[in-house]
Amino acid sequence: MNALAQDEGSQNLATYNFAYLDEQTKRMIRRAILKGIAVPGYQVPFASREMPMPYGWGTGGVQVTAAIIGPDDVLKVIDQGADDTTNAVSIRAFFAKTAGVATTTATPDATIIQTRHRIPETPLTQGQVLVYQVPIPEPLRFLEPRETETRKMHALEEYGLMHVKLYEDIARNGHIATTYAYPVKVEGRYVMDPSPTPKFDNPKMHQSEALQLFGAGREKRIYAIPPHTEVVSLDFEDHPFEIQHFDQPCAMCGAVEVYLDEVVLDDKGGRMFVCSDTHHCESRQADGHRGALLGESPGAGDDAGAEKEAIR
Amino acid sequence: MYVAVKGGETAIANAHRLLAARRRGDADVPGLTLEQIAGQLSLAVDRVMGEGSLYDPELAALAIKQARGDLIEAVFLLRAYRTTLPRFGHSEPMDTGEMLVERRISAIYKDLPGGQLLGPTFDYTHRLLDPVLAGDAPVDAPETGQDSNERVIRVSDILGDEGLIEDDPVTDASLPVADITRTPTEYPMGRDARLQTLARGDEGFLLALAYSTQRGYARTHPFVGEIRIGDVDVEVMIPELGFTVVIGRVKLTECQMVNQFQGSAKVPPQFTRGYGLVFGQAERKAMAMSLCDRALRASELGEDIVAPAQDEEFVLSHCDNVQATGFVEHLKLPHYVDFQAELDLVRRMRAEHFANAARADGETSATDDTKEAAE
Amino acid sequence: MTAIPQTNAVYEGGFSDPVGASQVVFRALMDAMARPGTIQVLPDVTAPPAPLSASASALIATLADADTPVWLDAALTKSSAIRDWIVFHTGAPVVSNPSDAAFALVAAPQNLSALNGFSLGTQEFPDRSTTIILQVSTLSDGAQLTLEGPGIKDQAQLAPDPLPQHFENQWRANRAAFPRGVDLILAAPGCVAALPRSTRLVRREA
């Protein structure tokens, strides 16, 4: 009990490496990323570290971002599509502090986008990297809890169990009852968990211009989808994969064919729907698009249904 | 008028301020010092060091203070610090036979070389709240014996000399020592990785599993061969010097559980081992660990795997409380995007359900009409 | 522990800014691996003993450490300086058996006989394979390869030289073992390209 106890109030902050992780850890993660890119959809085991935020709160994504980020990068962090949710704010602040990088909420300005549960509505471009936070990377885990077994199934490309499960859904419910974390097949080989994004976002993974990296910290797995890679949602001829559709446009910006959050307005059943992607919604509003709640405006409103991606 | 939720940054900053104030408590009461925590809540400090897998009482005390006494949070703080430290190498195997024992008991021999040494145990205290402790009355200095400096033989060695217990599994010294903090988990796990995982596993989880083996879920007929608590030197090999150097001393709790085993055509009947080794004074944890270690050796010893405590992936994937608390608590993060997807599907399925029911009603009444007409 | 000869060539020529340099080198390599056929610029950040090239040494210094055994081809083992440079700057053990290597450094690709002598990983763990760094003199003036696969929109071209003998057949065999297989990093002066095992070669019109 010496110095530390005596001047605990005036302790110098511990010094950390650029982007928090030590270089040896970054090297280990970088090697895993390269293997992940070389074998698209295969989950590469990596020696995930304890991070200064809890497991399950994006430690995998944070480690991947920390391993790739450089001082010239511009970072965007979203949670549920929004830049201003508390966990997104917290992770963005972490990198602003430990790596001193510029941050942004504008999708086109970002070089690295770390995400939880959504893919931005604005199409990603070449040179961008989308980093997913993944809770359970194993798409077969809820069919077979044992790692030793699921590893064999991937090795043998034995995915019958997954099809049986999806078909049982149809038999019981008339629908495939998976609405998020909907399994995909990558480049005709590996069945992969897209992280708990709504299946609405699955088509955006297919032939994306951006590199997609997935980090699961607690489960110690990294995987990747290179740009221009075939990503197909599993389905059946008589029950083709389809995404969610919303009956009404965004109440704020009038966008259609985007993913909407339901907002409860009162205790009398009042509901409205607004964009889950906050940047997409704000830039549409800045461009003069108005949804029902904000009143109509010239060129938008009534014909909002005809509006498509207005950006770029 | 709807306004989207904003100001996450301010909300977080304010929450942290409130947390700091709550942590401090009543400002008229003196703040806790780290000496007070390390000295007077030493078993909490030991638990945090063990599950945090970092032997540093001072930092553990700081973590407990910072965590407002939430020990799992304190473990997490210590782990997140530990992970930033460079790894210089590993120590030589520690010789617990050379332990300077403060407590040493065996349940299988009444008396034995080195004797039974109760040490600072709660075991025979009557659990009556002691009002005197509300104050700060002086306590008597402990009775101490003569330091004999003699090696206290391990009970397992006494059994081993007679061949009554299986040999301590010998690890090939040429193989690298597993380090679960630096290699991804792989099953089946080697003994070194399994013991590391158990040593920093959650005390409560391992305790419950150990208890389950006693109640018949993979019974192993355990006897406490020995529990010893005391200080052991940590030695590292310095390659440039060509010999080992003592770099410090840590307090450890070791439990050697002696379990029944039938033997086989090749192996004569002998007892088997379950092993527990934990930082600090952590007897409950060391005992639970040794029971779990023995249960997890089921496949190695040719036993049927019938109970949770024997299931390697189940036990070792779920015993880490930092992982467990993170993932359980992450459920409080926003999930409204996924929930929206589920809402949409449930509404659709309900609509179909009611439509089908209405159609079925219509058909039934139509059939009834036809029947009536026929009759 | 082998004694390292006291020559400056061994101790010098490493990263002067390890954190920044390795990040820049890695990002170039990651982009190369993610977009096979593209040529990424590498900064000039290392000065190894010849015949190890600046590009190849920057890549190995970025990727290798005590956890990754490195294999060197005959051209790099002629003198001990290169081995000592790698050991000193990365801490990686140098191995003689190619199938034990996480990384292989090849200064004379034309003399490399077989890609399948390296580790291809296993069906369960295809990531446990050797990544081979080939030192090439050019990425655009050799015989043209037409590439398809993940990371490539339609098709891409690359013309590295020199390459291992019977490269096209060897690469087809490597592709056929997918998900097992080696990944190639092509280190040219000032730039890098990559051929991950997922890349297919398009047969040239006869």
Side-chain angles (χ1 to χ4, degrees):
Chain A
M1 296 286 134
N2 43 42
L4 199 136
Q6 281 150 21
D7 49 80
E8 43 181 289
S10 59
Q11 279 290 302
N12 286 331
L13 276 177
T15 53
Y16 293 104
N17 192 21
F18 175 80
Y20 177 79
L21 295 177
D22 59 281
E23 290 301 301
Q24 197 174 359
T25 301
K26 286 183 193 168
R27 262 195 305 276
M28 176 271 294
I29 295 170
R30 287 168 180 167
R31 292 192 294 255
I33 290 172
L34 294 178
K35 296 289 187 188
I37 292 172
V39 190
Y42 165 71
Q43 304 163 51
V44 184
F46 83 112
S48 174
R49 300 295 197 246
E50 263 103 4
M51 296 298 285
M53 59 271 292
Y55 282 119
W57 298 50
T59 56
V62 168
Q63 288 180 79
V64 169
T65 299
I68 67 173
I69 202 165
D72 299 333
D73 276 308
V74 180
L75 178 70
K76 172 181 165 86
V77 184
I78 51 173
D79 188 337
Q80 315 293 298
D83 297 276
D84 52 13
T85 38
T86 42
N87 203 42
V89 167
S90 168
I91 290 172
R92 193 165 53 240
F94 175 74
F95 281 110
K97 183 174 173 185
T98 60
V101 295
T103 60
T104 184
T105 59
T107 304
D109 296 345
T111 56
I112 299 172
I113 302 170
Q114 181 167 328
T115 180
R116 179 169 169 265
H117 294 191
R118 275 310 312 278
I119 299 174
E121 305 287 2
T122 311
L124 301 179
T125 55
Q126 181 178 328
Q128 289 186 311
V129 184
L130 184 60
V131 178
Y132 296 74
Q133 303 172 198
V134 183
I136 304 274
E138 178 48 73
L140 306 168
R141 184 60 70 235
F142 300 110
L143 309 173
E144 168 52 64
R146 263 161 231 287
E147 167 68 17
T148 38
E149 293 299 319
T150 54
R151 185 158 290 278
K152 255 181 248 159
M153 291 157 80
H154 284 293
L156 301 171
E157 211 174 340
E158 178 53 66
Y159 296 127
L161 203 57
M162 180 62 91
H163 283 97
V164 169
K165 189 260 171 198
L166 294 176
Y167 211 85
E168 278 175 358
D169 273 4
I170 296 172
R172 191 176 306 126
N173 305 314
H175 297 274
I176 291 175
T178 304
T179 58
Y180 59 92
Y182 189 102
V184 295
K185 196 161 199 179
V186 181
E187 215 42 40
R189 178 56 179 83
Y190 282 100
V191 167
M192 191 198 91
D193 178 77
S195 89
T197 51
K199 65 178 182 176
F200 179 89
D201 285 338
N202 276 21
K204 296 178 187 162
M205 309 178 86
H206 177 62
Q207 300 290 346
S208 172
E209 288 281 342
L211 169 62
Q212 302 172 74
L213 299 177
F214 299 78
R218 195 179 35 76
E219 299 280 340
K220 303 179 169 58
R221 296 290 183 274
I222 283 172
Y223 51 106
I225 303 175
H228 306 296
T229 296
E230 188 181 274
V231 181
V232 179
S233 303
L234 301 184
D235 65 356
F236 300 94
E237 255 176 41
D238 51 344
H239 280 87
F241 172 79
E242 53 181 27
I243 60 171
Q244 291 100 339
H245 291 284
F246 293 85
D247 297 336
Q248 40 190 306
C250 169
M252 308 289 283
C253 76
V256 294
E257 293 181 31
V258 294
Y259 198 79
L260 301 176
D261 291 333
E262 180 171 339
V263 179
V264 178
L265 293 171
D266 52 41
D267 56 3
K268 300 175 186 67
R271 300 277 192 279
M272 69 168 203
F273 289 84
V274 296
C275 284
S276 126
D277 184 334
T278 49
H279 166 257
H280 186 73
C281 195
E282 283 158 12
S283 38
R284 278 179 56 85
Q285 291 174 51
D287 289 346
H289 298 282
R290 290 286 180 275
L293 190 80
L294 298 181
E296 293 167 20
S297 72
D302 275 354
D303 63 341
E307 294 284 342
K308 293 274 281 186
E309 303 297 312
I311 293 170
R312 300 237 143 173
Chain B
M1 169 75 194
Y2 167 75
V3 180
V5 188
K6 291 276 180 199
E9 248 153 296
T10 321
I12 290 172
N14 286 339
H16 290 174
R17 262 181 77 169
L18 181 58
L19 172 66
R22 290 285 183 271
R23 174 190 298 128
R24 179 57 184 84
D26 186 346
D28 294 334
V29 177
L32 280 170
T33 66
L34 299 192
E35 288 96 329
Q36 286 172 339
I37 296 169
Q40 297 173 46
L41 299 175
S42 57
L43 297 190
V45 167
D46 286 351
R47 178 170 176 191
V48 168
M49 292 196 303
E51 292 170 21
S53 58
L54 181 70
Y55 196 92
D56 190 324
E58 196 172 18
L59 287 181
L62 176 63
I64 291 169
K65 181 175 180 177
Q66 189 175 333
R68 305 173 65 190
D70 178 337
L71 295 191
I72 291 182
E73 178 68 20
V75 167
F76 180 17
L77 283 167
L78 211 55
R79 289 258 197 106
Y81 173 71
R82 178 196 193 279
T83 194
T84 66
L85 301 176
R87 179 186 192 274
F88 297 115
H90 56 80
S91 75
E92 295 298 300
M94 299 180 76
D95 184 0
T96 51
E98 295 290 349
M99 179 185 280
L100 188 60
V101 293
E102 186 172 49
R103 169 168 168 79
R104 189 265 196 139
I105 55 160
S106 171
I108 59 174
Y109 291 112
K110 184 177 183 197
D111 201 4
L112 67 169
Q116 307 254 17
L117 199 58
L118 283 184
T121 176
F122 292 122
D123 283 353
Y124 307 102
T125 62
H126 296 139
R127 269 64 167 198
L128 304 171
L129 284 172
D130 182 0
V132 174
L133 280 176
D136 190 17
V139 292
D140 298 335
E143 197 72 49
T144 50
Q146 205 68 9
D147 228 350
S148 70
N149 265 342
E150 255 176 57
R151 188 184 161 92
V152 180
I153 187 171
R154 283 184 296 209
V155 173
S156 55
D157 295 339
I158 300 174
L159 285 170
D161 289 345
E162 227 185 306
L164 289 172
I165 194 165
E166 58 175 342
D167 286 337
D168 222 347
V170 179
T171 316
D172 184 346
S174 69
L175 292 176
V177 183
D179 183 343
I180 59 166
T181 67
R182 288 159 45 87
T183 43
T185 314
E186 194 185 323
Y187 297 104
M189 219 183 251
R191 180 172 185 257
D192 45 3
R194 176 178 74 232
L195 291 175
Q196 283 174 30
T197 306
L198 293 174
R200 62 184 212 162
D202 181 73
E203 178 174 313
F205 179 80
L206 296 183
L207 176 66
L209 281 172
Y211 178 44
S212 76
T213 68
Q214 289 180 284
R215 290 195 65 259
Y217 291 87
R219 192 162 173 228
T220 59
H221 307 271
F223 297 91
V224 170
E226 180 179 7
I227 294 167
R228 55 171 62 196
I229 303 175
D231 291 344
V232 187
D233 288 340
V234 182
E235 291 179 51
V236 292
M237 171 62 90
I238 310 290
E240 287 82 353
L241 299 179
F243 52 84
T244 63
V245 182
V246 175
I247 58 163
R249 183 175 265 202
V250 296
K251 176 171 278 187
L252 295 176
T253 303
E254 182 186 56
C255 175
Q256 298 249 22
M257 204 62 83
V258 176
N259 305 270
Q260 208 176 52
F261 179 42
Q262 297 298 331
S264 68
K266 281 181 235 150
V267 185
Q270 55 184 178
F271 293 108
T272 56
R273 294 167 187 264
Y275 188 69
L277 184 74
V278 193
F279 280 158
Q281 177 171 348
E283 192 164 291
R284 182 189 301 123
K285 167 72 178 285
M287 293 178 74
M289 176 176 168
S290 63
L291 287 169
C292 289
D293 174 51
R294 175 60 185 82
L296 289 172
R297 295 181 61 206
S299 56
E300 172 197 339
L301 296 171
E303 297 163 347
D304 292 337
I305 296 180
V306 293
Q310 296 169 303
D311 185 328
E312 182 185 34
E313 284 202 38
F314 179 79
V315 175
L316 300 177
S317 300
H318 300 116
C319 67
D320 189 296
N321 54 25
V322 178
Q323 290 176 2
T325 197
F327 201 46
V328 166
E329 292 198 55
H330 108 283
L331 289 173
K332 65 195 168 192
L333 288 179
H335 281 79
Y336 49 75
V337 162
D338 293 343
F339 188 69
Q340 186 60 51
E342 296 279 80
L343 261 182
D344 173 67
L345 180 66
V346 171
R347 281 186 181 135
R348 209 137 47 89
M349 284 169 44
R350 283 172 61 87
E352 284 166 15
H353 171 85
F354 290 123
N356 289 342
R359 203 177 321 123
D361 270 357
E363 277 164 18
T364 317
S365 45
T367 327
D368 288 350
D369 288 349
T370 333
K371 258 190 201 163
E372 270 165 32
E375 275 169 2
Chain C
M1 288 270 155
T2 325
I4 292 169
Q6 305 287 316
T7 61
N8 288 340
V10 167
Y11 296 126
E12 290 177 355
F15 290 145
S16 57
D17 166 22
V19 176
S22 57
Q23 192 274 334
V24 172
V25 171
F26 171 73
R27 274 295 271 279
L29 175 59
M30 182 178 86
D31 288 343
M33 196 65 93
R35 295 167 201 276
T38 63
I39 297 172
Q40 308 288 335
V41 174
L42 278 185
D44 191 12
V45 284
T46 45
L52 184 60
S53 74
S55 297
S57 62
L59 288 161
I60 202 72
T62 296
L63 295 170
D65 57 29
D67 295 332
T68 57
V70 171
W71 179 87
L72 305 174
D73 77 343
L76 294 173
T77 42
K78 275 187 194 138
S79 88
S80 66
I82 287 164
R83 177 185 179 282
D84 294 339
W85 190 90
I86 288 167
V87 170
F88 179 76
H89 290 284
T90 71
V94 172
V95 293
S96 54
N97 189 348
S99 65
D100 292 338
F103 293 100
L105 265 177
V106 178
Q110 66 277 16
N111 296 337
L112 190 68
S113 50
L115 293 181
N116 62 12
F118 295 98
S119 172
L120 304 184
T122 63
Q123 201 70 15
E124 281 81 12
F125 293 96
D127 55 303
R128 296 179 182 175
S129 60
T130 308
T131 300
I132 306 172
I133 301 174
L134 299 180
Q135 272 185 209
V136 296
S137 52
T138 177
L139 292 169
S140 49
D141 294 335
Q144 183 156 297
L145 303 172
T146 299
L147 317 175
E148 283 181 353
I152 301 168
K153 188 174 188 181
D154 306 324
Q155 291 189 334
Q157 321 289 333
L158 201 63
D161 191 73
L163 282 179
Q165 296 153 28
H166 313 296
F167 178 71
E168 297 202 17
N169 285 337
Q170 288 215 55
W171 192 252
R172 282 195 186 91
N174 189 58
R175 184 64 184 78
F178 192 88
R180 299 166 69 232
V182 296
D183 306 308
L184 294 187
I185 297 173
L186 305 167
C191 57
V192 63
L195 291 177
R197 71 193 79 175
S198 59
T199 299
R200 300 180 295 271
L201 289 181
V202 180
R203 228 171 257 281
R204 271 170 288 189
E205 306 287 326

